[in-house]
C-alpha cells in the first residue's frame, strides 16, 4: 500500500477543518484534509432538510473572523442564513483561499493509529491509501453522527426513510404524501412547518415537548451589513471578551440587572418584549438568573407555556405540546410558525409518552393506540453529539489503546483538545470545549490557533510528541463540571449530557465559560503547558517507504 506523508492530517472539511487546513498551511506545514462528502461544508452539506438555517445571527456571528477581506466581501442575505447560503459561504471560503488543492473529498478515514517509534499517526482511507502525519487534527464535527433510532421494524419500512442529518442530495417532494416525523428538536421544529405546507398529511411523533421562540428571520438591510463592517473590530472584541466576574458563565444572559430588581409585572413585560423581538436574544438578553435560578427559570418557562396555549387552538394538542423541563437547558430552538402548524387540518401530534411507538411497519408507524399510515418517514432524531464522531473514528493511541475503551464510562480529555495516551491528536469542538455553546466558527479558529501555537513551539524546540497527563484530565473534568453544576443544565436530559443516546455515559461535556475558556487555555500555554508531557523527537519519520 502506498503511503503519503504530511506534517498534518485534518479529518473533516467542514467549518472547523477548512480553517485548520488554511491556518496550518499558512504556517508553512504540509497539510491534507479528508472528508467523505462530495463537497466541503460538513454539517451544512449533510443537513439539507427543509427549513434548515442557523439560529444565531448569521452576520457577524456565523462566519469566520480571520480574514477582514472575507467580512468585507461576503453579503449575508438574511439575519439567520438558510442552509444553502451557509453552504455557499463555506464553499466560497474554500475557493477564496484556494483550499481545494489540499482536500480529498468522498474519502472516509476508516482507521487512525499512532506509532510510538515514529511519533506519527497513520490513517487509512476507504480507497486504500495510507497517510502518515506527525499531527492528526480531528475536525469531525460535534453534530455529525446521526442518531439512528433503534425502533423495531424500521428496516422493513417500504417508503423513503430520511434522516435530517444525512438528507438526500436530490430534492424530496412531499406533495400528496403522508409524512411521519419522529423528533422535535431544532431539526424537527425547523422542518415540520415546511413539510406541512406541502404534504397531504404530517404526523409528528413527539417524545419530549419543546420550547421554541420565534426566529423573526428577515432580509438583512445593506445598512446593517455596513454597520457590521464599520464596527467589526469592536464586534470581534465583544465576541472574545470574557463575561464580567459577577457573571462567570458565558451562557448566562445579561439584561444588565437582576430579575429581583424588577416586579413580577415588570419581568412579564421584559419577557413579552423579548418574545416580540424573538431570536436567541430571548436567552442572551434575558435576566442573568435564567439558567441558574430555578424560580426565575420556571417563570420564563411558564411564560412560554402560556404562549403555546395562546397560539395552539386545540387545548388537547396544546397540552401535549407543553414542555416540562427548565427552559434553555436543552438547546434553545427558534422557529418559523412551529406551534401554529398544529392549527392546520393536515397535522396530527402523537405524544409518545402516552402513546409509545411499538414498531414501524412496511406502511406506517404503529403506536400503542394504532397504526399511522406513512409514505415518507423523517427521522429528526438528532446526533450522537460532541463525542459520537470521535468514537466512530475510534483512533488507536499508545500501545494500540482504543478511544472507545478509553471513553467507555467518561469522556476524559484535557482542555477539550487532547486525550492522554493519544499523543499528537487534537480535537476541535471536542468534549470539554465551549464548542456547541459558543460561536462555532470563531471557537474553531481560536482552538486551532492554540493547537498551531503548540505545534510550532514543539517544532522549534525539537519535540516529537505531546500528550496530557491523566491527572490533568481528571482535574479538567472537575473544572468543567464545577461550572456546569452552578447551572440548571445538568438537571435536564439533553444531548449535552448524552441522555439522548441509549447506553451513552451521562456526562455534561460542554465548557460553559465561552471566552473565559480561551483565556484559560492561553494561560496553560503561557505557563509552560502545565498538564502536558512533551517527548523529544525520535525520528523525522518523513522518509518514504
Ligand atoms: P435533537 O435536538 O437531539 O432532537 C432530536 C429529537 O428527536 C428530540 O426531540 C428527541 O427526543 C427525539 N428522539 C431521539 N431519539 C428518539 C427516539 N428513539 N424516539 C423518539 N424520539 C426520539 O437533534 P436536532 O437534529 O433537532 O438538533 C441538533 C442540533 O443541531 C440543534 O440543537 C442545533 O444545535 C443544531 P428527546 O428530546 O431526546 O426526548
Amino acid at each position: 500500500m502506498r503511503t503519503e506523508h504530511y506534517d498534518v492530517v485534518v479529518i473533516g472539511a467542514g467549518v472547523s477543518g477548512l480553517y485548520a487546513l488554511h491556518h496550518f498551511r499558512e504556517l508553512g506545514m504540509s497539510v491534507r484534509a479528508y472528508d467523505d462528502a462530495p463537497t466541503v461544508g460538513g454539517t451544512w452539506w449533510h443537513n439539507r432538510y427543509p427549513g434548515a438555517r442557523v439560529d444565531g445571527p448569521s452576520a457577524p456571528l456565523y462566519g469566520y473572523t480571520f480574514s477582514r477581506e472575507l467580512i468585507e466581501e461576503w453579503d449575508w442575505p438574511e439575519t439567520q442564513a438558510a442552509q444553502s447560503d451557509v453552504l455557499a459561504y463555506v464553499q466560497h471560503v474554500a475557493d477564496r483561499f484556494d483550499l481545494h488543492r489540499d482536500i480529498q473529498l468522498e474519502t472516509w478515514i476508516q482507521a487512525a493509529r499512532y506509532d510510538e517509534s515514529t511519533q506519527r499517526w497513520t490513517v487509512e482511507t476507504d480507497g486504500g491509501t495510507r497517510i502518515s502525519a506527525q499531527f492528526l487534527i480531528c475536525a469531525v464535527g460535534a453534530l455529525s453522527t446521526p442518531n439512528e433510532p433503534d425502533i423495531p421494524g424500521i428496516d422493513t419500512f417500504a417508503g423513503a426513510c430520511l434522516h435530517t442529518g444525512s438528507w438526500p442530495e436530490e430534492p424530496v417532494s412531499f406533495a400528496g404524501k403522508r409524512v411521519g416525523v419522529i423528533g422535535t428538536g431544532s431539526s424537527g421544529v425547523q422542518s415540520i412547518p415546511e413539510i406541512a405546507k406541502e404534504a397531504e398529511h404530517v404526523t409528528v411523533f413527539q417524545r419530549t415537548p419543546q420550547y421554541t421562540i420565534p426566529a423573526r428571520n428577515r432580509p438583512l438591510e445593506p445598512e446593517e451589513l455596513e454597520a457590521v463592517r464599520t464596527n467589526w473590530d469592536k464586534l470581534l472584541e465583544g465576541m472574545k471578551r470574557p463575561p464580567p466576574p459577577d457573571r462567570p458563565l458565558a451562557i448566562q444572559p445579561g439584561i444588565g440587572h437582576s430579575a429581583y430588581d424588577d416586579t413580577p409585572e415588570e419581568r412579564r413585560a421584559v419577557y413579552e418584549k423579548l418574545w416580540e423581538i424573538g431570536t436567541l436574544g430571548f436567552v442572551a438578553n434575558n435576566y442573568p438568573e435564567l439558567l441558574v435560578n430555578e424560580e426565575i427559570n420556571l417563570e420564563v418557562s411558564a411564560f412560554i407555556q402560556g404562549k403555546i396555549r395562546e397560539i395552539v387552538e386545540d387545548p388537547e394538542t396544546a397540552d401535549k405540546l407543553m414542555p416540562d423541563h427548565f427552559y434553555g437547558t436543552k438547546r434553545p430552538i427558534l422557529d418559523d410558525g412551529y406551534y401554529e402548524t398544529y392549527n392546520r387540518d393536515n397535522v396530527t401530534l402523537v405524544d409518545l409518552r402516552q402513546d409509545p411507538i411499538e414498531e414501524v411497519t412496511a406502511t406506517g408507524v404503529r403506536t400503542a393506540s394504532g397504526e399511522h399510515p406513512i409514505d415518507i418517514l423523517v427521522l429528526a432524531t438528532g446526533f450522537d453529539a460532541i463525542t459520537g464522531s470521535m468514537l466512530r473514528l475510534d483512533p488507536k493511541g499508545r500501545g494500540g489503546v482504543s478511544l472507545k475503551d478509553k471513553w467507555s464510562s467518561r469522556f476524559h480529555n484535557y482542555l477539550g483538545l487532547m486525550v492522554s495516551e493519544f499523543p499528537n491528536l487534537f480535537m476541535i469542538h471536542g468534549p470539554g470545549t465551549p464548542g456547541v455553546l459558543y460561536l462555532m466558527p470563531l471557537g474553531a479558529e481560536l482552538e486551532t490557533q492554540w493547537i498551531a501555537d503548540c505545534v510550532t513551539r514543539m517544532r522549534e524546540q525539537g519535540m516529537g510528541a505531546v500528550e496530557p497527563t491523566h491527572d490533568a484530565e481528571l482535574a479538567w473534568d472537575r473544572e468543567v463540571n464545577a461550572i456546569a453544576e452552578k447551572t440548571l443544565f445538568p438537571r435536564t436530559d439533553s444531548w449535552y449530557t448524552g441522555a439522548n443516546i441509549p447506553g451513552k455515559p451521562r456526562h455534561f461535556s460542554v465548557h460553559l465559560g465561552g471566552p473565559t475558556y480561551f483565556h484559560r487555555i492561553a494561560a496553560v500555554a503561557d505557563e509552560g503547558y502545565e498538564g502536558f508531557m512533551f517527548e523529544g523527537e525520535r525520528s523525522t519519520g518523513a522518509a518514504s517507504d
Side-chain angles (χ1 to χ4, degrees), residues 319-341:
D319 278 346
K320 290 186 205 166
L321 285 168
M322 217 44 65
D324 55 7
H325 54 277
F326 293 116
Y327 172 68
T329 55
K330 277 176 175 279
R331 178 68 155 76
I333 300 177
L334 300 182
D335 72 283
D336 184 10
Y338 176 68
Y339 295 128
E340 289 84 348
T341 294

Side-chain angles (χ1 to χ4, degrees), residues 250-425:
I251 43 80
Q252 204 171 327
I255 193 174
H257 61 270
S258 162
Y260 293 105
D261 293 340
D262 287 349
T263 63
E265 293 68 35
E266 287 167 335
R267 293 203 291 267
R268 165 96 203 174
V270 166
Y271 305 145
E272 275 295 352
K273 196 168 152 211
L274 290 173
W275 177 272
E276 277 320 306
I277 297 169
T279 75
L280 285 182
F282 190 87
V283 177
N285 301 321
N286 215 308
Y287 291 106
E289 287 85 358
L290 175 63
L291 298 166
V292 294
N293 174 309
E294 207 171 296
E295 187 177 41
I296 297 301
N297 187 290
L298 289 176
E299 187 176 87
V300 174
S301 301
F303 170 82
I304 306 172
Q305 288 159 359
K307 287 290 177 196
I308 300 172
R309 290 208 188 281
E310 274 172 30
I311 297 169
V312 179
E313 289 156 10
D314 172 39
E316 255 181 59
T317 305
D319 278 346
K320 290 186 205 166
L321 285 168
M322 217 44 65
D324 55 7
H325 54 277
F326 293 116
Y327 172 68
T329 55
K330 277 176 175 279
R331 178 68 155 76
I333 300 177
L334 300 182
D335 72 283
D336 184 10
Y338 176 68
Y339 295 128
E340 289 84 348
T341 294
Y342 292 97
N343 295 333
R344 297 176 67 108
D345 293 337
N346 69 334
V347 177
T348 310
L349 178 64
V350 177
D351 175 2
L352 299 180
R353 289 172 172 178
Q354 303 293 329
D355 187 11
I357 295 177
E358 294 188 338
E359 64 169 343
V360 174
T361 65
T363 53
V365 174
R366 194 160 58 76
T367 62
S369 67
E371 171 119 4
H372 304 268
I374 302 290
D375 304 311
I376 299 179
L377 188 58
V378 173
L379 304 176
T381 46
F383 303 92
D384 184 351
I386 307 173
T387 49
S389 300
M390 283 303 298
L391 289 166
R392 192 162 55 163
L393 176 67
D394 194 21
K396 306 292 186 298
R398 221 177 253 292
V401 61
S402 120
L403 189 68
K404 263 191 192 148
D405 289 344
K406 181 105 186 164
W407 278 1
S408 60
S409 60
R410 207 152 175 92
F411 307 119
H412 287 301
N413 67 79
Y414 184 43
L415 309 183
L417 298 168
M418 292 199 87
V419 179
S420 67
E421 299 182 274
F422 291 80
N424 296 359
L425 179 154

Side-chain angles (χ1 to χ4, degrees), residues 6-86:
Y6 300 97
D7 295 325
V8 180
V9 155
V10 178
I11 307 181
V15 169
S16 307
L18 290 185
Y19 179 70
L21 165 59
H22 172 70
H23 190 63
F24 279 100
R25 213 171 64 176
E26 289 287 288
L27 294 172
M29 293 182 221
S30 61
V31 194
R32 188 92 177 141
Y34 299 84
D35 199 296
D36 67 320
T39 171
V40 299
T43 288
W44 293 105
W45 163 254
H46 292 288
N47 286 263
R48 289 183 307 276
Y49 60 83
R53 59 177 66 249
V54 297
D55 47 17
S58 34
L61 303 187
Y62 205 91
Y64 294 108
T65 70
F66 69 90
S67 159
R68 185 67 196 236
E69 292 74 34
L70 198 52
I71 307 289
E72 294 296 330
E73 72 197 16
W74 186 261
D75 288 342
W76 289 104
E78 294 179 297
T79 53
Q80 291 140 56
Q83 169 271 334
S84 55
D85 289 319
V86 184

Side-chain angles (χ1 to χ4, degrees), residues 426-481:
F426 295 93
M427 301 176 289
I428 315 270
H429 292 324
T433 62
V436 292
L437 277 169
Y438 184 56
L439 310 166
M440 293 198 81
L442 175 57
E445 289 175 346
L446 297 173
E447 287 174 44
T448 301
Q449 287 159 15
W450 189 97
I451 295 165
D453 285 350
C454 177
V455 164
T456 304
R457 284 199 220 185
M458 284 173 69
R459 290 162 75 92
E460 283 166 3
Q461 294 171 11
M463 293 296 162
V466 58
E467 72 180 286
T469 66
H470 187 51
D471 282 350
E473 290 181 322
L474 296 177
W476 182 247
D477 192 22
R478 287 193 293 274
E479 190 172 327
V480 173
N481 263 279

Side-chain angles (χ1 to χ4, degrees), residues 521-537:
I521 61 172
V524 169
D526 291 345
E527 285 157 23
Y529 291 92
E530 193 187 352
F532 287 99
M533 298 182 293
F534 290 87
E535 225 177 60
E537 216 163 63

